């Protein structure tokens, strides 16, 4: 899995699209129609085979939002209705079926607005602000409310009174929904029934189920209009109170008695949830993004929520109901709101391992990097996925020391899960300690002396000794471990220890791997290696219990030395001693001749 937290899941896509559209998009993806999917920062793009209208489909996930765009002829436009093409791209992203394009390092470009804002005199700023506010009526009320909030910043919000008003709205909503009625029309013979209409030969009327949906929307729309009106005026606390009241009223409502024959309790709740979600998304995204929001009112909105929904908060694994997530995402952009929210929930013991991802998203949306980092560090110790996010955060922000510290700790806990990522992103020069741990772990999984030689320079002497000596115990029992042990000792120049290890192993009769034990010495320590071989040959030929197949092994031990020029005289002497040995002379002579060590006819040593 690639190291990025996506603000959506398959369920999210299903909720945003009709079933048929989702299934069509799924078929596009599974049939391989999605190609060239790339990620650049928070934007993904891909080409969909069959989409002749657009060059590429784009998905922007900045600040936890989910926005689709389409690119054609150099122009990019926002997608208002999600089609099967967008579904296919989203499924490819969820399956990690994309490649990440890293942006080249460059100096950040200064924002022209910020440059001008710093330079112009205050009087000119005031004149511009005055004209802008006069020309946009909605800004007038927002300005007044913003200044008013600054004046009341130190005053205590009358939360009990606000909560009483919230309860009154909830009761009005629940009662109003309970008293809804259907406007029944006379049934006609020969009608054709669809999901929304009954079509007769004379006229068309809505089905009871569609009438229920329409009645609910007509009733709730006036309440949402009040919340939208308050939000546009910058009165966030009032907007929040109405919104929370609508949610509470719909939550406690039951199917009206005269609706039960037309709709189940489940369908009733689904209608309410669907309309609430539609309206709160509009309110949070389209309205709140255009509103000047005051810190005081945003914090007061949270205080009211926590007072009214205290039972939900204390008895649930979610910090807020799913339907209200998007509202708090909208509030998160208010300065200091994210810090305030995390502090409040932490005081109630609700900042935990199972809720931390929600709060990290709040910090991310609020662009509070320090808060995000501090919170992630607090909970990463027990959470692999959060550890991956924090590592990626350190890497992207070039926090090399923090990356190494977390990498070392996490690698001890999840070596298998983090091996590939850490191997790719660890710099052996600046993060030597972490690199060494990764390299040593890899060597233990799959030993290869060339890997050890590559990493030697990044290990301290004590680290090398500890690692090499860890093979000593196994070497006494396992010929493969012994071979690895000898290779490491020779690589470290510990020839005397390597020689002693071979002599010790001699008692175990590792004849079949003896040549492998000698090879690490060559050519640098050829003289020492030949001495080891000579001693072993003598011991084997003197031993009456040595099997006959030892005569075939001896030339194999000597063979590597034939290629080393400065050892030929010594090799000649060893072969001569082998040939002049009495026991098994005929068999040994035959084997030596076969490998060109002696002249078969002349019975003389053939090496010059």
């Amino acid at each position: 899995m690639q190291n990025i937290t996506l603000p959506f899941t398959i369920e999210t896509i299903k909720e945003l699209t009709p079933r048929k559209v989702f299934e069509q998009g799924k078929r596009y993806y599974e049939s391989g129609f999605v190609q060239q999917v790339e990620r650049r920062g928070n934007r993904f793009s891909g080409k969909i085979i069959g989409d002749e209208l657009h060059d590429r489909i784009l998905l922007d996930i900045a600040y936890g939002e989910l926005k689709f765009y389409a690119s054609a002829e150099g122009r990019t436009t926002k997608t208002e209705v999600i089609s099967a093409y967008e579904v296919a791209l989203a499924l490819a992203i969820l399956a990690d079926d994309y490649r990440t394009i890293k942006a080249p390092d460059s100096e950040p470009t200064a924002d022209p607005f910020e440059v001008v804002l710093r330079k112009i005199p205050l009087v000119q700023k005031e004149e511009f602000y005055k004209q802008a506010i006069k020309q946009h009526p909605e800004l007038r009320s927002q300005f007044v409310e913003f200044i008013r909030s600054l004046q009341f910043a130190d005053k205590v919000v009358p939360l009990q009174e606000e909560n009483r008003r919230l309860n009154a709205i909830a009761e009005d909503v629940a009662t109003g929904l309970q008293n809804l009625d259907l406007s029944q029309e006379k049934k006609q013979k020969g009608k054709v029934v669809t999901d929304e209409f009954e079509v007769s030969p004379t006229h068309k009327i809505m089905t009871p189920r569609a009438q229920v949906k329409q009645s609910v929307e007509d009733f709730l729309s006036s309440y949402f209009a009040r919340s939208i009106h308050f939000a546009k005026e910058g009165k966030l606390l009032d907007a929040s109170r109405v919104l929370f009241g609508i949610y509470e009223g719909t939550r406690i409502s039951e199917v009206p008695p005269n609706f039960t024959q037309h709709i189940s309790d489940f369908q009733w709740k689904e209608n309410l949830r669907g309309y609430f979600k539609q309206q709160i998304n509009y309110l949070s995204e389209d309205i709140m993004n255009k509103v000047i929001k005051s810190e005081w009112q945003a914090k007061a909105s949270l205080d009211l929520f926590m007072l009214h929904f205290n039972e939900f908060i204390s008895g649930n694994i979610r910090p807020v109901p799913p339907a209200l997530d998007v509202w708090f995402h909208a509030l998160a952009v208010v300065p200091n709101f994210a810090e305030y929210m995390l502090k409040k929930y932490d005081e109630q013991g609700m900042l935990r391992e199972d809720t931390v991802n929600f709060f990290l998203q709040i910090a991310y949306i609020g662009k509070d990097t320090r808060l995000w980092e501090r919170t992630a560090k607090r909970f990463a110790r027990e959470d692999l996925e959060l550890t991956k996010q924090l590592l990626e955060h350190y890497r992207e922000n070039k926090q090399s020391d923090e990356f190494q510290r977390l990498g070392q700790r996490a690698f001890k806990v999840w070596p298998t899960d983090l091996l590939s990522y850490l191997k790719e992103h660890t710099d052996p020069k600046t993060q030597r300690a972490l690199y060494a741990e990764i390299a040593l772990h890899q060597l233990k999984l799959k030993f290869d002396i060339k890997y050890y030689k590559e990493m030697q320079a990044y290990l301290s002497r004590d680290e090398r000794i500890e690692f090499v000596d860890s093979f000593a115990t196994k070497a006494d029992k396992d010929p493969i471990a012994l071979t690895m042990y000898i290779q490491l000792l020779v690589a470290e120049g510990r020839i005397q220890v390597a020689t002693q290890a071979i002599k010790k192993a001699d008692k175990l009769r590792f004849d079949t791997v003896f040549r492998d034990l000698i090879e690490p010495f060559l050519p640098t320590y050829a003289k020492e290696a030949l001495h080891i071989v000579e001693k072993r040959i003598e011991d084997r030929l003197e031993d009456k219990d040595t099997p006959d197949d030892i005569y075939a092994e001896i030339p194999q031990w000597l063979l590597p030395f034939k290629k080393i020029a400065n050892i030929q005289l010594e090799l000649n002497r060893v072969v001569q001693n082998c040939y002049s040995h009495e026991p098994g002379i005929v068999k040994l002579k035959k084997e030596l001749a076969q490998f060109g060590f002696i002249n078969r006819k002349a019975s003389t040593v053939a090496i010059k």
Side-chain angles (χ1 to χ4, degrees):
M1 184 177 181
Q2 303 200 43
N3 290 280
I4 181 174
T5 302
L6 298 172
F8 66 96
T9 64
I10 290 181
E11 295 303 319
T12 308
I13 303 302
K14 286 182 178 179
E15 291 177 3
L16 294 174
T17 57
R19 183 177 61 82
K20 291 182 180 179
V21 172
F22 179 83
E23 294 299 329
Q24 182 65 47
K26 184 179 179 183
R27 284 194 292 273
Y28 284 160
Y29 170 65
E30 293 176 346
S31 300
F33 287 6
V34 187
Q35 298 184 351
Q36 303 172 17
V37 184
E38 298 174 347
R39 171 197 166 203
R40 288 178 169 82
N42 287 316
R43 172 162 287 193
F44 296 85
S45 68
K47 174 66 179 174
I48 315 296
I49 296 177
D51 183 6
E52 302 297 336
L53 297 177
H54 309 111
D55 299 325
R56 297 181 76 80
I57 301 297
L58 311 174
L59 170 57
D60 198 331
I61 60 168
Y63 313 122
E65 299 175 353
L66 188 65
K67 295 182 180 180
F68 286 97
Y69 300 84
S71 174
E73 298 180 354
R75 299 179 60 188
T76 300
T77 56
K78 185 177 180 181
T79 303
E80 300 298 337
V81 179
I82 299 178
S83 71
Y85 296 137
E86 283 76 24
V87 172
L89 175 62
L91 293 178
I93 295 168
L94 287 168
D96 284 345
D97 193 3
Y98 63 87
R99 68 190 185 104
T100 300
I101 307 298
K102 296 182 180 179
D105 293 335
S106 60
E107 292 296 324
T109 303
D111 184 350
F113 172 78
E114 295 291 343
V115 173
V116 174
L117 190 65
R118 286 195 300 268
K119 289 183 177 181
I120 64 173
L122 179 60
V123 64
Q124 294 180 6
K125 294 179 186 178
E126 291 177 349
E127 180 60 29
F128 177 84
Y129 296 154
K130 187 185 297 184
Q131 290 189 37
I133 291 172
K134 285 183 177 180
Q135 292 178 20
H136 296 81
E138 289 181 353
L139 285 178
R140 295 183 183 184
S141 58
Q142 291 177 30
F143 175 77
V144 171
E145 200 60 39
F146 185 84
I147 299 301
R148 177 175 172 271
S149 295
L150 293 177
Q151 295 172 345
F152 285 98
D154 297 330
K155 294 186 178 181
V156 178
V157 181
L159 289 179
Q160 294 298 337
E161 174 60 21
E162 293 292 335
N163 192 43
R164 185 192 64 75
R165 297 170 68 185
L166 191 161
N167 283 323
I169 295 172
E171 291 175 9
D172 287 346
V173 170
T175 302
L177 289 171
Q178 192 71 13
N179 294 330
L180 288 180
D181 195 6
L182 291 178
S183 56
Q184 296 287 357
E185 297 190 29
K186 185 177 180 180
K187 305 294 181 183
Q188 302 291 327
K189 292 183 179 180
K191 65 180 181 298
V192 178
V193 180
T194 66
D195 285 344
E196 295 188 0
F197 298 102
E198 295 178 355
V199 183
S200 73
T202 57
H203 69 293
K204 180 172 72 172
I205 63 173
M206 295 180 70
T207 63
R209 184 174 176 182
Q211 288 186 61
V212 171
K213 183 174 181 292
Q214 187 62 54
S215 299
V216 168
E217 294 180 0
D218 289 344
F219 172 73
L220 291 178
S221 62
S222 62
Y223 287 91
F224 278 108
R226 287 168 57 189
S227 186
I228 291 171
H229 172 74
F230 284 137
K232 286 183 176 180
E233 289 191 337
K235 299 178 180 179
L236 295 189
L237 179 56
D238 292 331
S240 297
R241 183 183 64 251
V242 175
L243 191 63
F244 297 157
I246 300 171
Y247 173 78
E248 182 71 352
T250 56
R251 187 183 69 82
I252 63 177
S253 71
E254 298 178 354
V255 182
N258 57 342
F259 281 18
T260 53
Q261 60 181 317
H262 305 300
I263 190 169
S264 68
D265 183 63
F266 174 78
Q267 292 168 332
W268 172 254
K269 292 295 184 183
E270 282 293 294
N271 276 334
L272 293 177
R273 276 193 292 265
Y275 185 65
F276 187 90
K277 181 177 180 179
Q278 174 190 335
Q279 292 300 307
I280 196 174
N281 282 344
Y282 168 71
L283 179 58
S284 301
E285 296 180 15
D286 292 352
I287 301 300
M288 290 291 282
N289 287 339
K290 303 171 185 176
V291 171
I292 308 299
K293 296 170 279 289
S294 87
E295 180 180 336
W296 179 81
Q297 295 224 19
K299 291 179 178 179
S301 298
L302 176 65
D303 292 339
L304 175 61
F305 171 82
M306 296 187 73
L307 172 64
H308 185 84
F309 292 95
N310 180 63
E311 185 176 341
F312 174 90
I313 294 172
S314 59
N316 205 294
I317 61 172
R318 288 188 57 88
V320 302
L324 295 175
D325 277 1
V326 66
W327 183 249
F328 286 97
H329 291 170
L331 294 177
V333 302
V334 177
N336 303 314
F337 178 83
E339 178 93 37
Y340 185 76
M341 186 176 191
L342 266 69
K343 179 182 178 182
K344 282 287 187 178
Y345 272 84
D346 199 13
E347 289 172 352
Q348 293 199 16
M350 274 296 293
L351 181 53
R352 309 184 304 254
E353 290 84 354
D354 54 351
T355 64
V356 67
N357 284 323
F358 173 85
F359 294 109
L360 288 174
Q361 191 172 22
I362 291 293
Y364 176 79
I365 294 171
K367 299 183 179 180
D368 194 333
T369 303
R370 291 184 179 179
L371 177 63
W372 188 97
E373 184 178 315
R374 187 171 71 244
T375 306
K377 284 174 68 175
R378 176 176 166 184
F379 292 94
R381 186 173 295 277
E382 305 297 333
D383 190 322
L384 172 61
E385 293 305 315
L386 187 51
T387 296
K388 290 179 179 178
Q389 292 180 46
L390 190 54
L391 283 168
E392 184 65 7
H393 168 79
Y394 288 146
R395 187 185 70 81
E396 290 181 346
N397 289 279
K398 296 180 173 57
Q399 294 173 261
S400 179
D401 292 342
E402 293 290 346
F403 182 93
Q404 178 169 238
R405 274 193 288 271
L406 177 60
Q408 285 183 277
R409 181 193 62 75
F411 191 63
K412 289 181 174 66
V413 183
W414 303 291
T416 303
D417 299 283
L418 295 175
L419 177 60
S420 178
Y421 174 82
L422 291 176
K423 181 182 178 183
E424 178 182 356
H425 297 297
T426 300
D427 184 347
K429 295 181 180 178
T430 61
Q431 297 160 335
R432 188 194 65 79
L434 177 57
Y435 177 81
E437 287 188 27
I438 297 169
L440 292 175
H441 179 81
Q442 279 191 291
L443 277 168
K444 290 178 180 178
L445 292 178
K446 185 178 181 181
F447 183 83
D448 191 324
I449 193 62
K450 73 176 182 180
Y451 296 140
Y452 182 78
K453 290 179 178 179
E454 288 176 1
M455 54 166 275
Q456 268 182 300
Y458 303 107
L459 293 173
S460 67
R461 176 174 173 77
D462 290 342
E463 287 172 332
R464 298 200 307 271
I465 291 175
E466 181 181 357
F467 178 75
V468 172
D469 289 349
S470 67
F471 288 84
T473 303
K474 294 180 181 179
D476 292 341
K477 303 174 182 179
D478 182 358
I480 297 178
L482 175 62
T483 303
M484 295 162 58
Y485 184 43
I486 297 301
Q487 290 179 348
L488 291 168
L489 288 170
V490 174
E492 286 294 325
R494 297 167 63 185
I495 305 306
Q496 186 174 357
V497 180
T499 302
Q500 293 299 321
I502 293 178
K503 289 180 179 179
K504 184 178 180 182
D506 190 45
K507 300 176 182 178
L508 302 177
R509 299 282 179 143
F510 288 156
D511 289 332
T512 56
V513 297
F514 183 67
R515 182 178 176 181
D516 295 333
L517 301 180
I518 295 301
E519 282 187 353
F521 288 83
L522 306 178
T524 307
Y525 304 102
K527 186 175 181 180
E528 291 85 347
L530 186 58
H531 179 71
I532 295 172
V533 171
E534 182 180 17
K535 182 67 171 61
R536 191 179 190 86
I537 292 173
E538 291 176 357
D539 291 343
R540 289 293 182 268
L541 294 180
E542 291 290 344
D543 189 349
K544 296 180 179 179
D545 296 326
T546 299
D548 288 348
D549 58 7
I550 194 64
Y551 302 122
E553 290 289 339
I554 289 175
Q556 295 283 352
W557 301 345
L558 295 170
L559 195 58
F561 295 94
K562 291 185 70 174
K563 299 178 181 179
I564 304 174
N566 63 356
I567 201 73
Q568 295 306 301
L569 290 177
E570 285 293 312
L571 179 60
N572 190 340
R573 180 185 60 77
V574 173
V575 171
Q576 185 67 49
N577 290 341
C578 292
Y579 180 71
S580 60
H581 205 279
E582 290 299 330
I585 187 66
V586 176
K587 294 179 181 178
L588 181 56
K589 173 185 174 182
K590 180 180 178 182
E591 295 294 340
L592 290 170
Q594 181 177 343
F595 286 93
F597 286 104
I598 63 172
N599 186 308
R600 189 185 300 270
K601 293 182 179 181
S603 298
T604 58
V605 176
I607 300 174
K608 302 296 182 184

